[in-house]
Amino acid sequence: MSEISRRILTLIQQLKISYGDLSSITHIPKSALQRYATGETEKIPLDRLELIAKALQTTPAYLMGWAKEEEPTSIPYHLGNVRPMPKMVKKPRLGTIACGKPILAVEDAEQFDSVPAELECDFTLACKGDSMINARIFDGDIVYIRSQPQVENGQIAAVLIGEEATLKRVYYSPEDNRMTLRACNPLYRDQVYEGPALDEVKILGLAVGFYSHIRHEQ
C-alpha cells in the first residue's frame, strides 16, 4: 500500500466516515474512493486528491507524505487515539433548521446539546435535508450557532425566512440591496431576495461548528 493510500484509509477510519458519504461530499464514485484507500489504484488525479483532502480535513501535501503525521482537527465527531474530550457545556437546541418554525426563545427550549466550551456558541439547531452536504453537514447533524445579525459573504448562517429557518451560505450585495442564499449542493438553486422581500429575511446567527452523526456502511 502506498503512503497516499495509507493516509487516506487512516483518516477515513479516524473520522468514521463511510465511502458513501465521502462520495457525496467529493462527487467521486464510491468504487474509486475504495480503490484509492486500499491501494488498488495508486495514481490519483490532483483535482480528486484536493477534494479528498478537503473532505478529510487535511491537505494534499499531508496525503502525499510531504507533511508530518497529524490528526484531523474536527470537533467533536472523532476522538483520535486516547485523545481527551474537550470541556463541554450545555446549549439550548432551538429547533430544526430548514424544517418548520424554530423555537427562538431560549427559556422555551426543551432540549440541550453538549458543545465544546471553546466555541462561541449561543444555541444549536438540528439540520434536516441534504442541501449542505458539500459542506459536510448531513441530515440529522447538530449545527452550533453564534447569535449575530450579520455575517460575511460566503459564510454559513442560520437564516429565518418568514417563519421557516434554513442553513445556507449568505451573500449580500448592498449596491443592489440583494441577498443570495446558496446551498452547498448543486441540485439546489440559489434563493434570491431583494427589495421589500428582504424584510422577510433575518440572519439568526453564524454557524461556528457542528456535530455529525455519520453512518457506517454495512
Side-chain angles (χ1 to χ4, degrees):
M1 178 183 291
S2 68
E3 182 66 13
I4 293 178
S5 296
R6 186 186 69 80
R7 293 194 174 196
I8 289 175
L9 182 60
T10 297
L11 288 175
I12 287 174
Q13 292 171 342
Q14 286 182 346
L15 292 172
K16 298 180 181 178
I17 186 171
S18 71
Y19 288 107
D21 284 336
L22 189 57
S23 177
S24 296
I25 299 169
T26 62
H27 299 292
I28 299 172
K30 184 171 70 172
S31 58
L33 291 169
Q34 290 173 322
R35 291 196 298 271
Y36 298 157
T38 59
E40 183 179 345
T41 299
E42 296 188 356
K43 292 185 178 180
I44 305 176
L46 181 58
D47 58 338
R48 287 192 170 186
L49 190 66
E50 291 175 343
L51 291 172
I52 293 170
K54 184 176 181 181
L56 296 179
Q57 303 166 32
T58 187
T59 64
Y62 168 74
L63 292 182
M64 296 178 73
W66 298 345
K68 67 179 182 179
E69 297 265 0
E70 59 183 13
E71 293 181 352
T73 57
S74 61
I75 47 172
Y77 58 79
H78 95 96
L79 297 178
N81 183 32
V82 195
R83 179 173 165 182
M85 284 290 289
K87 181 181 178 181
M88 308 295 280
V89 294
K90 294 288 186 181
K91 295 295 181 178
R93 186 186 300 183
L94 302 190
T96 300
I97 198 80
C99 182
K101 183 177 180 180
I103 305 168
L104 297 181
V106 172
E107 59 269 20
D108 293 335
E110 297 180 353
Q111 188 170 356
F112 293 79
D113 292 299
S114 295
V115 176
E118 63 187 31
L119 284 183
E120 294 183 39
C121 168
D122 296 301
F123 62 91
T124 68
L125 290 164
C127 188
K128 185 174 179 64
D130 62 356
S131 66
M132 299 299 288
I133 59 174
N134 283 2
R136 228 214 58 76
I137 301 174
F138 292 86
D139 185 77
D141 287 354
I142 305 302
V143 184
Y144 308 146
I145 305 295
R146 182 176 68 213
S147 296
Q148 57 185 69
Q150 296 179 329
V151 296
E152 296 181 6
N153 279 345
Q155 290 185 320
I156 296 175
V159 183
L160 190 65
I161 306 170
E163 295 187 344
E164 184 172 338
T166 186
L167 191 72
K168 296 289 185 293
R169 290 196 185 277
V170 176
Y171 298 87
Y172 178 67
S173 173
E175 297 83 3
D176 304 317
N177 195 28
R178 177 189 299 126
M179 182 178 291
T180 300
L181 305 181
R182 183 164 298 159
C184 293
N185 182 335
L187 297 179
Y188 290 80
R189 294 182 179 179
D190 289 351
Q191 298 172 250
V192 181
Y193 300 88
E194 54 188 344
L198 274 176
D199 294 337
E200 296 295 314
V201 182
K202 176 184 179 182
I203 294 176
L204 299 176
L206 175 69
V208 295
F210 66 96
Y211 182 92
S212 182
H213 299 278
I214 298 178
R215 302 177 302 278
H216 291 274
E217 290 189 329
Q218 300 297 323

